[in-house]
């Protein structure tokens, strides 16, 4: 699931590309990404419900609902709020929240892979929903003009044909499109 306002492929000065494949047509996907425009940038949530099936798909919906209904632009606070809901509903998810503003990326969370051009992000925070208290320190990276932010779920990283495979690519408008 990729949710952009009004179905656009660009938002807040950024172009969004999505690559997704679902090998099993009879399974529910749990990969998700939601993006919203904020003053001078974008706020992104990207993740994967832990497991396969309807419950994990509902976990993705819960994460996106909290994200889309919460006013905060602080990635750490956003993940604390999502964690509270997932812990209370006994669901788990690998989630990263990212704020891009004024050429800086503030990020925290845990997903399978996140990289900015050739620089990998530290994504070693805890899985959401595992414990009642959640702390994950936000980190900062510089977003240069030709940088490309790539987010991947486990199916895309490990090339598992039985798993959802989602990759989201974010670049500033005017940066060349990736063709891999």
């Amino acid at each position: 699931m990729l949710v952009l306002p009004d179905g656009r492929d660009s938002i807040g000065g950024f172009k969004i590309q999505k690559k997704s494949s679902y090998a099993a047509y009879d399974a529910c996907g749990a990969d998700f990404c939601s993006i919203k425009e904020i003053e001078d940038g974008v706020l992104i949530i990207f993740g994967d419900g832990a497991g396969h099936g309807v419950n994990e798909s509902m976990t993705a919906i819960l994460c996106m609902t909290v994200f889309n209904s919460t006013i905060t632009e602080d990635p750490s606070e956003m993940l604390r709020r999502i964690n509270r809901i997932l812990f209370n509903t006994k669901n788990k998810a690998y989630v990263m929240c990212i704020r891009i503003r004024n050429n800086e990326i503030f990020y925290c969370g845990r997903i399978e892979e996140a990289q900015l051009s050739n620089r990998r992000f530290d994504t070693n925070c805890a899985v959401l929903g595992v414990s009642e208290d959640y702390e994950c320190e936000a980190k900062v990276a510089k977003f240069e003009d030709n940088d490309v932010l790539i987010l991947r779920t486990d199916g895309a990283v490990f090339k598992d044909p039985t798993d959802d495979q989602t990759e989201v690519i974010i670049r500033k408008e005017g940066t060349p499109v990736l063709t891999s």
Side-chain angles (χ1 to χ4, degrees):
M1 290 180 252
L2 174 64
V3 179
L4 280 172
D6 306 321
R8 297 178 285 172
D9 67 352
S10 65
I11 182 170
F14 296 90
K15 295 292 279 179
I16 313 298
Q17 289 175 262
K18 176 190 168 220
K19 297 178 183 180
S20 184
S21 65
Y22 293 90
Y25 62 85
D26 59 346
C28 293
D31 294 359
F32 60 92
C33 180
S34 190
I35 303 171
K36 58 184 173 181
E37 194 165 6
I38 59 174
E39 186 176 339
D40 298 324
V42 293
L43 192 63
I44 304 159
I45 190 168
F46 181 84
D48 187 4
H52 301 285
V54 174
N55 189 59
E56 289 70 22
S57 187
M58 292 304 296
T59 299
I61 292 169
L62 280 172
C63 291
M64 290 191 307
T65 300
V66 172
F67 174 78
N68 288 313
S69 63
T70 301
I71 296 172
T72 186
E73 295 178 5
D74 176 350
S76 297
E77 177 60 24
M78 182 67 71
L79 293 183
R80 280 192 291 276
R81 291 177 186 203
I82 293 169
N83 182 72
R84 202 169 315 134
I85 299 294
L86 296 184
F87 181 77
N88 289 333
T89 59
K90 298 183 179 9
N91 291 297
K92 295 174 189 63
Y94 297 86
V95 183
M96 179 171 272
C97 186
I98 301 165
R99 181 182 72 215
I100 306 173
R101 176 185 282 152
N102 299 327
N103 296 326
E104 286 189 315
I105 299 174
F106 294 85
Y107 68 95
C108 67
R110 181 176 183 154
I111 59 173
E112 194 56 51
E113 184 178 335
Q115 67 183 43
L116 183 62
S117 294
N118 292 324
R119 302 178 308 274
R120 291 181 66 87
F121 282 5
D122 172 13
T123 61
N124 292 326
C125 294
V127 175
L128 293 183
V130 172
S131 87
E132 188 170 8
D133 297 319
Y134 183 83
E135 286 300 322
C136 182
E137 182 180 330
K139 297 180 175 55
V140 181
K142 188 84 169 146
F143 200 126
E144 304 292 341
D145 283 342
N146 289 319
D147 278 344
V148 176
L149 177 62
I150 301 172
L151 308 171
R152 293 186 179 106
T153 59
D154 57 351
V157 172
F158 299 118
K159 309 289 189 248
D160 181 351
T162 65
D163 199 1
D164 308 356
Q165 298 180 15
T166 301
E167 176 179 84
V168 173
I169 300 167
I170 301 162
R171 59 187 170 77
K172 290 183 178 181
E173 290 192 42
T175 301
V177 176
L178 297 177
T179 58
S180 61

